Amino acid sequence: MIKLFRNIRRKLLTEGNSLRYLKYAIGEIILVVIGILIALQINTWNENRTNKIKETAILRDLHQEFQKNKVKLDSTINYHRSILRATKKVMDLIGEPEATVLKHNPDSLIYLTLDYRDYSPSESVISDLISSGKLNLISSDSLRMLIFEWGSAMEEEEEGYATMDEMSQTMTLPYIAKNGSMKNTDHYGILKENSLSKFGPRNHLLFQEVEFENHMDNQAWGVANYLLKLDKLEIIINDIIKHTNRKTMIQE
């Protein structure tokens, strides 16, 4: 093809027809430009196709990761709701006669108010997206916004857990250790193989103290506050799962 164009130019120059040569030269330039534009269009199409394949893989990985995170989060929420119920039950028993308190196993109830746990989801896919700069491969503005909201919500969750843990470690546990029996309490946890305290039952006596009621109220507040953070995460997780669902992707 190049040889053909060269021969045509040589023939026109030999004939000395400048006007025809100029028209031909302009036409040749136009053909070259068109060829370049077509090549660029093909490259753009290939790049978009490659990016779409990468995006599909990212959405699939996000969907799988957050489905697992949802299972773990639902378990964590239900667990802490049970802690909150136990704490409220303790508060309802405070001030009741000793015989009434003993019917409800106060050692076990107190243990339940203290046995909270942190939520630690998998974030490997999101971390890779942010660190590698692949976040811009996600075409959905809503999904990108949800990913940023997830990061902020996780920071709030960590603050909520830290607040709950600090209140328990610096206030409630020291109070029980001084005025009750930690051994009897821990008997209903991972130290259940240990025998009860030889000093006899003591924790039921705490139910007659207003200071114990204040500590339990703090525990209830800390757990309730933490649950609010977990509920916010649940909303974001459900939205991320919805946006990365294969059927939703096809509809969009």
Side-chain angles (χ1 to χ4, degrees):
M1 184 64 70
I2 296 175
K3 184 177 180 180
L4 176 62
F5 287 155
R6 188 182 297 117
N7 291 335
I8 294 174
R9 287 197 301 270
R10 186 182 299 113
K11 181 179 179 181
L12 291 174
L13 288 172
T14 302
E15 294 175 353
N17 193 329
S18 300
L19 182 59
R20 288 186 62 191
Y21 178 79
L22 179 61
K23 291 180 179 179
Y24 170 79
I26 293 174
E28 188 174 320
I29 292 172
I30 292 174
L31 288 175
V32 172
V33 171
I34 292 174
I36 293 174
L37 291 176
I38 292 174
L40 290 174
Q41 185 65 32
I42 292 173
N43 288 336
T44 300
W45 182 84
N46 285 331
E47 184 178 353
N48 289 340
R49 180 175 176 275
T50 301
N51 288 342
K52 192 64 180 178
I53 293 173
K54 291 180 180 178
E55 181 186 15
T56 300
I58 289 171
L59 296 179
R60 181 194 63 232
D61 293 342
L62 276 173
H63 190 76
Q64 292 175 351
E65 183 170 69
F66 275 86
Q67 278 189 318
K68 294 178 181 178
N69 288 342
K70 176 177 172 57
V71 172
K72 189 172 184 179
L73 179 63
D74 289 343
S75 175
T76 305
I77 289 176
N78 290 332
Y79 182 79
H80 284 85
R81 284 176 179 167
S82 68
I83 292 177
L84 188 58
R85 287 194 296 269
T87 307
K88 290 180 178 179
K89 187 171 183 179
V90 168
M91 295 178 67
D92 289 340
L93 287 172
I94 293 176
E96 292 294 322
E98 181 176 319
T100 302
V101 174
L102 288 173
K103 289 180 181 178
H104 295 275
N105 197 341
D107 296 335
S108 174
L109 279 177
I110 292 175
Y111 172 78
L112 290 175
T113 68
L114 305 172
D115 189 32
Y116 47 85
R117 59 186 64 165
D118 194 11
Y119 174 61
S120 301
S122 171
E123 297 183 283
S124 58
V125 177
I126 283 184
S127 297
D128 179 65
L129 282 177
I130 296 174
S131 63
S132 64
K134 296 178 182 177
L135 193 60
N136 61 349
L137 290 174
I138 297 178
S139 57
S140 171
D141 294 336
S142 300
L143 181 55
R144 288 200 303 272
M145 184 61 67
L146 284 170
I147 291 175
F148 288 123
E149 289 180 5
W150 170 261
S152 299
M154 276 303 301
E155 290 180 1
E156 293 182 14
E157 180 273 339
E158 291 170 359
E159 291 175 1
Y161 182 84
T163 298
M164 178 175 63
D165 185 55
E166 182 179 5
M167 292 172 65
S168 182
Q169 295 291 336
T170 62
M171 300 170 65
T172 307
L173 287 174
Y175 173 81
I176 296 175
K178 181 179 179 180
N179 300 283
S181 171
M182 289 302 303
K183 188 175 184 181
N184 287 351
T185 300
D186 290 337
H187 177 72
Y188 292 90
I190 59 176
L191 299 179
K192 58 185 177 181
E193 300 299 328
N194 291 356
S195 61
L196 295 174
S197 173
K198 295 179 180 179
F199 294 98
R202 297 180 58 187
N203 287 330
H204 68 283
L205 299 177
L206 300 176
F207 286 74
Q208 306 304 319
E209 302 293 334
V210 67
E211 186 175 355
F212 180 62
E213 182 179 62
N214 291 336
H215 284 296
M216 287 295 102
D217 184 71
N218 284 336
Q219 288 290 112
W221 184 92
V223 175
N225 178 63
Y226 185 53
L227 277 169
L228 288 176
K229 315 303 181 186
L230 295 179
D231 289 341
K232 185 174 182 179
L233 286 176
E234 184 177 36
I235 293 173
I236 297 174
I237 280 184
N238 288 336
D239 285 342
I240 289 177
I241 290 176
K242 178 181 177 181
H243 277 76
T244 56
N245 184 277
R246 183 175 179 82
K247 292 182 180 179
T248 303
M249 290 159 52
I250 293 175
Q251 291 173 356
E252 292 179 349

